[in-house]
């Protein structure tokens, strides 16, 4: 797999996921979770559902 572009690395990084979680929490009032997926293309994901067994919880915005 070719290396990821610097822009993708920045957008898929933890600081961006954290900012998205805060924005989603502000807009919805629902808990938001930042999880580590183990996928190099999308290492972090923001969701309002609790993480599954193969994901690691990094942050909960409540």
């Amino acid at each position: 797999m070719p290396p990821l572009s610097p822009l993708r690395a920045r957008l898929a990084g933890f600081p961006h996921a954290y900012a998205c979680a805060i924005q989603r929490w502000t807009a919805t009032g629902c808990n938001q979770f930042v999880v580590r997926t183990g996928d190099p293309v999308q290492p972090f994901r923001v969701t309002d559902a609790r993480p599954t067994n193969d994901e690691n919880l990094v942050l909960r915005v409540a």
Side-chain angles (χ1 to χ4, degrees):
M1 175 153 90
L4 301 178
S5 74
L7 178 58
R8 175 174 284 285
R10 187 168 51 111
L11 291 175
F14 175 76
H16 191 258
Y18 175 69
C20 289
I22 294 293
Q23 289 176 352
R24 287 177 59 170
W25 176 77
T26 302
T28 66
C30 296
N31 291 343
Q32 300 296 317
F33 301 92
V34 177
V35 295
R36 185 174 319 220
T37 64
D39 180 359
V41 175
Q42 184 185 19
F44 297 97
R45 183 170 61 88
V46 178
T47 181
D48 59 358
R50 293 195 180 271
T52 62
N53 291 339
D54 62 339
E55 297 173 328
N56 297 316
L57 177 64
V58 177
L59 177 77
R60 177 181 174 191
V61 179

